[in-house]
Amino acid sequence: MKFSTRAIHAGQTPDPTTGAIITPVYLTSTYVQQNPGIHLGYEYSRTGNPTRTALEQNLASLEDARHGLCFASGLAATDAVLKLFKSGDHVVAGDDLYGGTHRLFTQIFQQFGMQFDFVDATDPQRVVDAIGETTKMVWIETPTNPLLKITDIAEISRICREKSTLLVVDNTFATPCLQQPMSMGADIVLHSTTKYLGGHSDVVGGALITSDDDLRDRLAFIQNAAGAIPGPLDCFLTLRGTKTLDVRMERHCKNAEQIAQWLQDDPRISTVYYPGLESHPGYEIACRQMSAPGGMVSFVLVDESESHAREMVSRTKIFKLAESLGGVESLIEHPISMTHGAVPAEVRHKAGLSDALIRLSVGIEDLEDLKEDLDAAIG
Ligand SMILES: *Cc1c(COP(=O)(O)O)cnc(C)c1O
């Protein structure tokens, strides 16, 4: 079956007792057993819940993988991956990560003795150079947040195989609709399902996808032992979101491509970051590994002052000033004072993140309305 069909049907069969076409919200904490240990596959809802199973199978199918595991948030999923390792283990990560990922690595896991190096993964040689004896994992995001840098997944995966380290790809920005890291050699794909997969800004969640049976079992053990699971209603909402992922992404990309082009041609703008623009350094790799460039656009005004950027993001009316992304509604934000506030200034500057950067999550509203809104706010 093709992607848009799987998005609607994978993991879901009509309820055998009622014929309900939609997987119910199984609000139950426990399951009746026939004899001790003899049951229908579920014992306790931390370990497993049928609504969650449906979502896990749906997401695995969308990434063309064997297994999915769902978590209470994207960061809970990240936390579970890190718990595969122990004190002394080393991780090489991209230098333009989601702020919360950077915070979890450096302010929590570093305290437990894990070691992290952040490198510009768009240059694969830097990843090679950073990998040492104790390196257990390479962690990349592509496109990155918020600079939309593009990393060559197939090339990084080749390096990881050669060095016998795990490759994890945070695929939140692209979604499996536009990019399938498993097919390029990733061992684990991570999602903040809060974003495009949920798609309606009404639920927080995360997921890990893998085709490796052993990794799946170890991660499921951590999921059950540490307990950061999503509730059944969260799973239901996310499952409802994925049904329309394909059509939503088409419109997100169409609107974002037009807005990026329009901003690039506007004399009031100094730089536009969008992997669908030929001027973007990752354009060619993006063309190769993504089916479309996505719905996120970042830019800097000609007047590159932080105060100007803060004023502009407060002036839009349709683009709502908020953190997060990937919902049907357009959002605007100022990364350094919002989503990336936790990233130290020197780390931000090293990664090329300007204090005046503005980030858009382009929604699926009417394109002309969105352009008019930005046009008036830029002033
Ligand atoms: C939001 C986000 C996360 C964290 O997910 P939560 O659901 O907010 O915990 C991780 N990676 C990326 C790229 C994100 O945008």
Side-chain angles (χ1 to χ4, degrees):
M1 274 192 287
K2 299 285 195 295
F3 186 87
S4 55
T5 312
R6 281 183 278 136
I8 293 166
H9 295 287
Q12 298 153 85
T13 45
D15 180 46
T17 55
T18 63
I21 192 164
I22 295 301
T23 304
V25 185
Y26 283 93
L27 285 169
T28 188
S29 59
T30 189
Y31 305 83
V32 175
Q33 309 197 7
Q34 225 168 6
N35 292 298
I38 307 297
H39 50 72
L40 298 169
Y42 295 95
E43 301 168 297
Y44 185 59
S45 276
R46 171 163 30 74
T47 321
N49 175 284
T51 317
R52 192 169 100 214
T53 304
L55 176 62
E56 293 180 335
Q57 290 178 355
N58 183 258
L59 296 181
S61 169
L62 295 188
E63 291 282 1
D64 251 324
R66 291 158 63 90
H67 310 293
L69 290 167
C70 288
F71 292 83
S73 68
L75 280 175
T78 305
D79 177 78
V81 174
L82 271 288
K83 285 174 177 157
L84 290 168
F85 307 110
K86 59 181 190 324
S87 173
D89 288 346
H90 177 244
V91 172
V92 175
D95 65 357
D96 184 30
L97 294 182
Y98 175 68
T101 305
H102 188 275
R103 180 177 56 198
L104 181 63
F105 287 2
T106 57
Q107 294 187 47
I108 307 279
F109 282 94
Q110 207 152 277
Q111 286 190 353
F112 291 112
M114 285 190 64
Q115 287 163 348
F116 299 87
D117 268 314
F118 298 92
V119 301
D120 179 0
T122 63
D123 177 359
Q125 188 56 41
R126 302 214 181 173
V127 175
V128 174
D129 294 344
I131 294 176
E133 291 272 300
T134 56
T135 307
K136 294 289 159 60
M137 172 172 74
V138 172
W139 183 286
I140 59 171
E141 238 181 81
T142 182
T144 62
N145 178 8
L147 291 174
L148 303 159
K149 289 189 201 167
I150 302 291
T151 293
D152 187 336
I153 300 173
E155 179 58 14
I156 300 294
S157 143
R158 196 191 56 71
I159 294 165
C160 289
R161 265 199 307 281
E162 203 176 286
K163 304 270 188 186
S164 303
T165 84
L166 225 52
L167 173 61
V168 181
V169 179
D170 181 337
N171 202 26
T172 299
F173 269 37
T175 83
C177 183
L178 308 182
Q179 169 174 283
Q180 304 199 318
M182 303 290 304
S183 71
M184 294 175 250
D187 297 294
I188 299 173
V189 167
L190 176 132
H191 281 287
S192 166
T193 58
T194 314
K195 317 293 167 56
Y196 288 105
L197 295 180
H200 296 76
S201 309
D202 53 8
V203 61
V204 171
L208 298 175
I209 316 292
T210 185
S211 284
D212 182 312
D213 296 346
D214 177 55
L215 263 180
R216 185 265 165 206
D217 288 348
R218 287 161 64 204
L219 290 165
F221 174 82
I222 293 165
Q223 182 193 44
N224 184 48
I229 50 143
L233 184 60
D234 300 344
C235 295
F236 173 89
L237 288 169
T238 309
L239 205 47
R240 185 165 70 167
T242 61
K243 287 181 193 293
T244 54
L245 180 65
D246 199 51
V247 284
R248 283 187 285 111
M249 289 316 288
E250 203 177 302
R251 176 70 80 87
H252 279 297
C253 292
K254 200 171 129 219
N255 280 354
E257 280 182 274
Q258 296 288 321
I259 285 175
Q261 193 64 55
W262 171 73
L263 287 172
Q264 192 178 43
D265 296 340
D266 192 307
R268 296 169 295 176
I269 308 298
S270 79
T271 318
V272 181
Y273 301 88
Y274 185 65
L277 294 173
E278 277 178 52
S279 58
H280 189 285
Y283 176 74
E284 267 162 41
I285 297 168
C287 288
R288 212 160 58 224
Q289 71 186 17
M290 301 177 76
S291 61
M296 301 298 295
V297 179
S298 294
F299 65 95
V300 179
L301 299 170
V302 163
D303 173 349
E304 296 196 13
S305 72
E306 184 184 334
S307 61
H308 232 80
R310 293 172 83 111
E311 285 161 25
M312 193 246 142
V313 300
S314 311
R315 273 199 297 262
T316 51
K317 301 219 157 53
I318 298 174
F319 279 87
K320 296 288 186 282
L321 178 59
E323 301 198 0
S324 198
L325 60 110
V328 290
E329 57 285 289
S330 292
L331 301 180
I332 190 166
E333 69 126 357
H334 179 231
I336 77 141
S337 54
M338 297 171 68
T339 48
H340 290 64
V343 184
E346 67 196 64
V347 176
R348 292 195 315 253
H349 294 153
K350 202 167 144 241
L353 203 173
S354 160
D355 290 350
L357 191 82
I358 293 166
R359 188 188 81 176
L360 304 176
S361 172
V362 180
I364 65 172
E365 300 97 332
D366 182 87
L367 176 63
E368 290 311 313
D369 287 339
L370 296 182
K371 276 199 207 165
E372 255 173 52
D373 190 35
L374 290 173
D375 186 46
I378 293 167

